[in-house]
Amino acid sequence: MTLLDVTMALAARSADPANMAVVTIEMKTSFLRPAKGELHAFGYCDHRSTSMAFCRADLKDASGRLLAQAMGTFRRMPVVHRSSSVSAVPAD
């Protein structure tokens, strides 16, 4: 499931001119066949609004057989860059 989640997140960000970060809000996965060997993941962003992205992903084996499918909703958020001058506070 992680592979499909990351594939959809990359699809959500791939053509985003604002280059915003995304966070998974909801995900549904359907497993169709057992997976073995080399795997190929394909992600698609079907719709993007100002605050959300709606994506899907397919997982296929080396011969192109469909193994799993996923659909996900992602929240788009501005990327926060932290200053390197921030020091960590030791835990008690």
Side-chain angles (χ1 to χ4, degrees), residues 1-62:
M1 285 180 45
T2 301
L3 177 58
L4 293 168
D5 188 25
V6 170
T7 300
M8 290 187 291
L10 289 171
R13 293 191 69 186
S14 66
D16 186 356
N19 197 29
M20 296 181 83
V22 294
V23 177
T24 307
I25 299 297
E26 176 268 336
M27 181 175 164
K28 180 199 180 301
T29 306
S30 297
F31 298 99
L32 309 172
R33 292 184 178 85
K36 9 180 196 175
E38 186 176 313
L39 303 175
H40 301 272
F42 302 90
Y44 311 92
C45 185
D46 294 323
H47 179 73
R48 185 184 303 109
S49 70
T50 56
S51 61
M52 305 291 273
F54 302 90
C55 302
R56 60 189 164 88
D58 295 333
L59 183 66
K60 297 182 178 186
D61 63 14

